[in-house]
mmCIF file of all heavy atoms in Angstrom:
data_model
loop_
_atom_site.group_PDB
_atom_site.id
_atom_site.type_symbol
_atom_site.label_atom_id
_atom_site.label_comp_id
_atom_site.label_asym_id
_atom_site.label_seq_id
_atom_site.Cartn_x
_atom_site.Cartn_y
_atom_site.Cartn_z
ATOM 1 N N SER A 12 93.414 112.927 122.949
ATOM 2 C CA SER A 12 94.114 112.647 124.199
ATOM 3 C C SER A 12 95.564 113.081 124.069
ATOM 4 O O SER A 12 96.161 112.995 122.996
ATOM 5 C CB SER A 12 94.048 111.148 124.520
ATOM 6 O OG SER A 12 94.899 110.840 125.616
ATOM 7 N N ASN A 13 96.133 113.518 125.179
ATOM 8 C CA ASN A 13 97.551 113.876 125.205
ATOM 9 C C ASN A 13 98.403 112.799 125.859
ATOM 10 O O ASN A 13 99.585 113.008 126.117
ATOM 11 C CB ASN A 13 97.751 115.201 125.964
ATOM 12 C CG ASN A 13 97.175 116.381 125.205
ATOM 13 O OD1 ASN A 13 97.267 116.430 123.986
ATOM 14 N ND2 ASN A 13 96.580 117.318 125.926
ATOM 15 N N GLY A 14 97.801 111.653 126.110
ATOM 16 C CA GLY A 14 98.517 110.591 126.813
ATOM 17 C C GLY A 14 98.846 109.396 125.933
ATOM 18 O O GLY A 14 98.525 109.353 124.743
ATOM 19 N N THR A 15 99.500 108.432 126.554
ATOM 20 C CA THR A 15 99.789 107.150 125.914
ATOM 21 C C THR A 15 98.681 106.178 126.270
ATOM 22 O O THR A 15 98.410 105.944 127.449
ATOM 23 C CB THR A 15 101.148 106.594 126.379
ATOM 24 O OG1 THR A 15 102.186 107.469 125.962
ATOM 25 C CG2 THR A 15 101.408 105.213 125.804
ATOM 26 N N LEU A 16 98.020 105.615 125.244
ATOM 27 C CA LEU A 16 96.875 104.747 125.451
ATOM 28 C C LEU A 16 97.138 103.386 124.820
ATOM 29 O O LEU A 16 97.663 103.294 123.704
ATOM 30 C CB LEU A 16 95.613 105.363 124.860
ATOM 31 C CG LEU A 16 95.168 106.712 125.415
ATOM 32 C CD1 LEU A 16 93.896 107.174 124.731
ATOM 33 C CD2 LEU A 16 94.977 106.643 126.920
ATOM 34 N N GLY A 17 96.739 102.338 125.526
ATOM 35 C CA GLY A 17 96.899 100.983 125.009
ATOM 36 C C GLY A 17 96.313 99.969 125.961
ATOM 37 O O GLY A 17 95.245 100.187 126.534
ATOM 38 N N PHE A 18 97.034 98.873 126.179
ATOM 39 C CA PHE A 18 96.524 97.835 127.058
ATOM 40 C C PHE A 18 97.651 96.966 127.600
ATOM 41 O O PHE A 18 98.734 96.867 127.029
ATOM 42 C CB PHE A 18 95.468 96.978 126.349
ATOM 43 C CG PHE A 18 95.954 96.297 125.090
ATOM 44 C CD1 PHE A 18 96.454 94.986 125.125
ATOM 45 C CD2 PHE A 18 95.916 96.938 123.865
ATOM 46 C CE1 PHE A 18 96.879 94.364 123.974
ATOM 47 C CE2 PHE A 18 96.347 96.320 122.709
ATOM 48 C CZ PHE A 18 96.825 95.022 122.763
ATOM 49 N N ARG A 19 97.348 96.366 128.725
ATOM 50 C CA ARG A 19 98.216 95.353 129.354
ATOM 51 C C ARG A 19 97.695 93.997 128.947
ATOM 52 O O ARG A 19 96.478 93.789 128.829
ATOM 53 C CB ARG A 19 98.176 95.500 130.868
ATOM 54 C CG ARG A 19 99.036 94.509 131.665
ATOM 55 C CD ARG A 19 98.925 94.837 133.142
ATOM 56 N NE ARG A 19 99.821 94.044 133.970
ATOM 57 C CZ ARG A 19 99.427 93.035 134.778
ATOM 58 N NH1 ARG A 19 98.122 92.706 134.828
ATOM 59 N NH2 ARG A 19 100.289 92.375 135.506
ATOM 60 N N PHE A 20 98.595 93.035 128.713
ATOM 61 C CA PHE A 20 98.152 91.720 128.270
ATOM 62 C C PHE A 20 99.113 90.645 128.747
ATOM 63 O O PHE A 20 100.258 90.926 129.117
ATOM 64 C CB PHE A 20 98.043 91.665 126.742
ATOM 65 C CG PHE A 20 99.364 91.827 126.019
ATOM 66 C CD1 PHE A 20 100.123 90.717 125.648
ATOM 67 C CD2 PHE A 20 99.861 93.086 125.716
ATOM 68 C CE1 PHE A 20 101.341 90.870 124.994
ATOM 69 C CE2 PHE A 20 101.073 93.239 125.054
ATOM 70 C CZ PHE A 20 101.818 92.136 124.692
ATOM 71 N N ARG A 21 98.614 89.406 128.731
ATOM 72 C CA ARG A 21 99.435 88.238 129.056
ATOM 73 C C ARG A 21 99.610 87.389 127.801
ATOM 74 O O ARG A 21 98.646 87.141 127.070
ATOM 75 C CB ARG A 21 98.770 87.397 130.160
ATOM 76 C CG ARG A 21 99.544 86.127 130.521
ATOM 77 C CD ARG A 21 98.915 85.435 131.724
ATOM 78 N NE ARG A 21 97.521 85.086 131.469
ATOM 79 C CZ ARG A 21 96.688 84.635 132.398
ATOM 80 N NH1 ARG A 21 97.097 84.519 133.656
ATOM 81 N NH2 ARG A 21 95.438 84.332 132.086
ATOM 82 N N ALA A 22 100.838 86.963 127.546
ATOM 83 C CA ALA A 22 101.120 86.111 126.385
ATOM 84 C C ALA A 22 100.680 84.680 126.684
ATOM 85 O O ALA A 22 101.003 84.131 127.738
ATOM 86 C CB ALA A 22 102.601 86.137 126.043
ATOM 87 N N THR A 23 99.954 84.076 125.752
ATOM 88 C CA THR A 23 99.476 82.694 125.935
ATOM 89 C C THR A 23 100.164 81.726 124.982
ATOM 90 O O THR A 23 99.862 80.538 125.007
ATOM 91 C CB THR A 23 97.953 82.619 125.712
ATOM 92 O OG1 THR A 23 97.655 83.030 124.367
ATOM 93 C CG2 THR A 23 97.219 83.501 126.700
ATOM 94 N N MET A 24 101.066 82.235 124.157
ATOM 95 C CA MET A 24 101.769 81.378 123.203
ATOM 96 C C MET A 24 103.166 81.911 123.007
ATOM 97 O O MET A 24 103.397 83.123 123.038
ATOM 98 C CB MET A 24 101.022 81.350 121.857
ATOM 99 C CG MET A 24 101.661 80.457 120.817
ATOM 100 S SD MET A 24 100.671 80.431 119.287
ATOM 101 C CE MET A 24 101.625 79.277 118.315
ATOM 102 N N ALA A 25 104.139 81.016 122.814
ATOM 103 C CA ALA A 25 105.522 81.409 122.578
ATOM 104 C C ALA A 25 105.658 81.934 121.148
ATOM 105 O O ALA A 25 105.954 81.179 120.223
ATOM 106 C CB ALA A 25 106.473 80.249 122.821
ATOM 107 N N THR A 26 105.398 83.200 120.983
ATOM 108 C CA THR A 26 105.471 83.826 119.661
ATOM 109 C C THR A 26 106.276 85.108 119.785
ATOM 110 O O THR A 26 106.856 85.395 120.834
ATOM 111 C CB THR A 26 104.056 84.105 119.116
ATOM 112 O OG1 THR A 26 104.159 84.638 117.807
ATOM 113 C CG2 THR A 26 103.301 85.057 120.015
ATOM 114 N N SER A 27 106.343 85.892 118.719
ATOM 115 C CA SER A 27 107.111 87.134 118.722
ATOM 116 C C SER A 27 106.271 88.297 118.219
ATOM 117 O O SER A 27 105.389 88.116 117.373
ATOM 118 C CB SER A 27 108.356 86.999 117.834
ATOM 119 O OG SER A 27 109.251 86.025 118.350
ATOM 120 N N VAL A 28 106.553 89.463 118.753
ATOM 121 C CA VAL A 28 105.933 90.689 118.248
ATOM 122 C C VAL A 28 106.766 91.168 117.063
ATOM 123 O O VAL A 28 107.955 91.451 117.196
ATOM 124 C CB VAL A 28 105.884 91.780 119.343
ATOM 125 C CG1 VAL A 28 105.283 93.072 118.781
ATOM 126 C CG2 VAL A 28 105.067 91.288 120.537
ATOM 127 N N LEU A 29 106.136 91.258 115.907
ATOM 128 C CA LEU A 29 106.830 91.676 114.687
ATOM 129 C C LEU A 29 106.696 93.171 114.429
ATOM 130 O O LEU A 29 107.556 93.770 113.778
ATOM 131 C CB LEU A 29 106.274 90.919 113.473
ATOM 132 C CG LEU A 29 106.412 89.405 113.481
ATOM 133 C CD1 LEU A 29 105.850 88.814 112.195
ATOM 134 C CD2 LEU A 29 107.854 88.985 113.676
ATOM 135 N N GLY A 30 105.612 93.767 114.914
ATOM 136 C CA GLY A 30 105.381 95.186 114.664
ATOM 137 C C GLY A 30 104.405 95.757 115.673
ATOM 138 O O GLY A 30 103.829 95.030 116.492
ATOM 139 N N LEU A 31 104.227 97.062 115.619
ATOM 140 C CA LEU A 31 103.305 97.767 116.506
ATOM 141 C C LEU A 31 102.368 98.614 115.653
ATOM 142 O O LEU A 31 102.721 99.042 114.552
ATOM 143 C CB LEU A 31 104.083 98.648 117.479
ATOM 144 C CG LEU A 31 105.087 97.918 118.389
ATOM 145 C CD1 LEU A 31 105.886 98.919 119.213
ATOM 146 C CD2 LEU A 31 104.371 96.918 119.295
ATOM 147 N N ALA A 32 101.177 98.855 116.184
ATOM 148 C CA ALA A 32 100.137 99.520 115.403
ATOM 149 C C ALA A 32 99.395 100.539 116.253
ATOM 150 O O ALA A 32 99.482 100.545 117.483
ATOM 151 C CB ALA A 32 99.157 98.482 114.853
ATOM 152 N N VAL A 33 98.661 101.399 115.567
ATOM 153 C CA VAL A 33 97.810 102.385 116.228
ATOM 154 C C VAL A 33 96.501 102.469 115.453
ATOM 155 O O VAL A 33 96.477 102.310 114.231
ATOM 156 C CB VAL A 33 98.518 103.758 116.321
ATOM 157 C CG1 VAL A 33 98.823 104.308 114.940
ATOM 158 C CG2 VAL A 33 97.694 104.753 117.132
ATOM 159 N N TRP A 34 95.420 102.735 116.172
ATOM 160 C CA TRP A 34 94.107 102.842 115.539
ATOM 161 C C TRP A 34 94.034 104.123 114.715
ATOM 162 O O TRP A 34 94.384 105.203 115.187
ATOM 163 C CB TRP A 34 93.017 102.839 116.604
ATOM 164 C CG TRP A 34 91.637 102.996 116.044
ATOM 165 C CD1 TRP A 34 90.841 104.114 116.122
ATOM 166 C CD2 TRP A 34 90.890 102.028 115.313
ATOM 167 N NE1 TRP A 34 89.652 103.877 115.487
ATOM 168 C CE2 TRP A 34 89.649 102.605 114.978
ATOM 169 C CE3 TRP A 34 91.149 100.716 114.910
ATOM 170 C CZ2 TRP A 34 88.675 101.939 114.262
ATOM 171 C CZ3 TRP A 34 90.185 100.050 114.190
ATOM 172 C CH2 TRP A 34 88.964 100.645 113.879
ATOM 173 N N ASP A 35 93.588 103.984 113.474
ATOM 174 C CA ASP A 35 93.424 105.131 112.576
ATOM 175 C C ASP A 35 91.948 105.253 112.211
ATOM 176 O O ASP A 35 91.448 104.552 111.340
ATOM 177 C CB ASP A 35 94.281 104.956 111.321
ATOM 178 C CG ASP A 35 94.160 106.137 110.359
ATOM 179 O OD1 ASP A 35 93.516 107.146 110.733
ATOM 180 O OD2 ASP A 35 94.696 106.043 109.238
ATOM 181 N N ARG A 36 91.265 106.138 112.906
ATOM 182 C CA ARG A 36 89.830 106.335 112.662
ATOM 183 C C ARG A 36 89.622 106.911 111.270
ATOM 184 O O ARG A 36 90.309 107.832 110.841
ATOM 185 C CB ARG A 36 89.262 107.279 113.721
ATOM 186 C CG ARG A 36 87.789 107.573 113.583
ATOM 187 C CD ARG A 36 87.308 108.356 114.789
ATOM 188 N NE ARG A 36 85.918 108.721 114.667
ATOM 189 C CZ ARG A 36 85.497 109.942 114.333
ATOM 190 N NH1 ARG A 36 86.380 110.904 114.090
ATOM 191 N NH2 ARG A 36 84.218 110.224 114.266
ATOM 192 N N ASN A 37 88.690 106.323 110.555
ATOM 193 C CA ASN A 37 88.314 106.740 109.202
ATOM 194 C C ASN A 37 89.397 106.526 108.156
ATOM 195 O O ASN A 37 89.258 106.972 107.003
ATOM 196 C CB ASN A 37 87.866 108.211 109.180
ATOM 197 C CG ASN A 37 86.609 108.455 109.991
ATOM 198 O OD1 ASN A 37 85.730 107.606 110.049
ATOM 199 N ND2 ASN A 37 86.536 109.612 110.640
ATOM 200 N N ASN A 38 90.499 105.876 108.545
ATOM 201 C CA ASN A 38 91.576 105.568 107.582
ATOM 202 C C ASN A 38 92.107 106.811 106.876
ATOM 203 O O ASN A 38 92.459 106.773 105.701
ATOM 204 C CB ASN A 38 91.087 104.559 106.533
ATOM 205 C CG ASN A 38 90.622 103.264 107.154
ATOM 206 O OD1 ASN A 38 91.326 102.669 107.948
ATOM 207 N ND2 ASN A 38 89.413 102.830 106.799
ATOM 208 N N ASP A 39 92.167 107.922 107.601
ATOM 209 C CA ASP A 39 92.577 109.169 106.963
ATOM 210 C C ASP A 39 93.951 109.646 107.413
ATOM 211 O O ASP A 39 94.336 110.797 107.169
ATOM 212 C CB ASP A 39 91.529 110.255 107.216
ATOM 213 C CG ASP A 39 91.261 110.469 108.704
ATOM 214 O OD1 ASP A 39 91.863 109.762 109.535
ATOM 215 O OD2 ASP A 39 90.433 111.340 109.042
ATOM 216 N N GLY A 40 94.708 108.780 108.082
ATOM 217 C CA GLY A 40 96.050 109.158 108.504
ATOM 218 C C GLY A 40 96.047 110.069 109.717
ATOM 219 O O GLY A 40 95.037 110.221 110.409
ATOM 220 N N PHE A 41 97.194 110.708 109.943
ATOM 221 C CA PHE A 41 97.404 111.472 111.169
ATOM 222 C C PHE A 41 97.825 112.917 110.870
ATOM 223 O O PHE A 41 98.697 113.475 111.535
ATOM 224 C CB PHE A 41 98.466 110.787 112.034
ATOM 225 C CG PHE A 41 98.252 109.301 112.177
ATOM 226 C CD1 PHE A 41 99.213 108.408 111.727
ATOM 227 C CD2 PHE A 41 97.095 108.805 112.744
ATOM 228 C CE1 PHE A 41 99.026 107.040 111.854
ATOM 229 C CE2 PHE A 41 96.887 107.438 112.871
ATOM 230 C CZ PHE A 41 97.849 106.548 112.420
ATOM 231 N N SER A 42 97.233 113.515 109.847
ATOM 232 C CA SER A 42 97.518 114.899 109.472
ATOM 233 C C SER A 42 99.012 115.144 109.247
ATOM 234 O O SER A 42 99.561 116.189 109.625
ATOM 235 C CB SER A 42 96.998 115.858 110.552
ATOM 236 O OG SER A 42 95.600 115.770 110.657
ATOM 237 N N GLY A 43 99.663 114.170 108.656
ATOM 238 C CA GLY A 43 101.069 114.307 108.342
ATOM 239 C C GLY A 43 102.020 113.980 109.473
ATOM 240 O O GLY A 43 103.239 113.979 109.289
ATOM 241 N N ASN A 44 101.485 113.717 110.665
ATOM 242 C CA ASN A 44 102.329 113.388 111.796
ATOM 243 C C ASN A 44 102.699 111.914 111.811
ATOM 244 O O ASN A 44 102.094 111.094 111.108
ATOM 245 C CB ASN A 44 101.617 113.720 113.112
ATOM 246 C CG ASN A 44 101.420 115.204 113.309
ATOM 247 O OD1 ASN A 44 101.949 116.009 112.537
ATOM 248 N ND2 ASN A 44 100.683 115.582 114.331
#
């Protein structure tokens, strides 16, 4: 895909986002990118 993919969500608890992640299929990285 050439787009930005993710999801919309509602927070149900007063917490904090510590980091962001992306799905890595087969755990093989992103070809150096």
Side-chain angles (χ1 to χ4, degrees):
S12 171
N13 291 322
T15 296
L16 299 180
F18 58 94
R19 180 178 186 253
F20 65 93
R21 178 173 59 189
T23 61
M24 182 177 182
T26 184
S27 295
V28 178
L29 299 181
L31 301 174
V33 62
W34 178 253
D35 181 7
R36 180 172 177 257
N37 296 326
N38 301 309
D39 56 359
F41 313 119
S42 297
N44 292 352

